[in-house]
Amino acid sequence: MNTEQPNNPLHGITLAEVVEQLVAHYGWEALATRVNINCFKNDPSVKSSLKFLRRTPWARAEVEALFLRTFSN
């Protein structure tokens, strides 16, 4: 099975890296205004955010889209 994903801009980037880079760039408060989810608003942490995003596809899609808008060349 071929595991390469040449058209996937997030290939090789973990969800943890996505969240950490967004937090470093925006901070939790600004990130919460851009993606309206409670794990960014109430007592935010990378660990709690990852847990939520891994089981909530719509929220993960929003976070990944923000990452691509923010850091794409």
Side-chain angles (χ1 to χ4, degrees):
M1 182 160 96
N2 190 356
T3 60
E4 296 210 14
Q5 300 178 11
N7 295 326
N8 182 354
L10 293 173
H11 180 70
I13 302 173
T14 66
L15 185 57
E17 291 172 324
V18 168
V19 172
E20 289 167 356
Q21 288 185 33
L22 286 172
V23 170
H25 185 77
Y26 291 113
W28 287 112
E29 191 173 319
L31 187 56
T33 62
R34 286 170 173 77
V35 181
N36 187 17
I37 53 179
N38 283 335
C39 67
F40 292 164
K41 294 178 183 180
N42 301 324
D43 195 26
S45 72
V46 172
K47 184 178 178 180
S48 68
S49 298
L50 291 175
K51 184 177 180 180
F52 177 76
L53 293 171
R54 286 183 178 129
R55 59 186 170 92
T56 314
W58 66 265
R60 181 177 183 153
E62 285 191 30
V63 169
E64 289 174 343
L66 176 63
F67 178 83
L68 292 174
R69 286 193 309 270
T70 303
F71 297 110
S72 63
N73 297 346

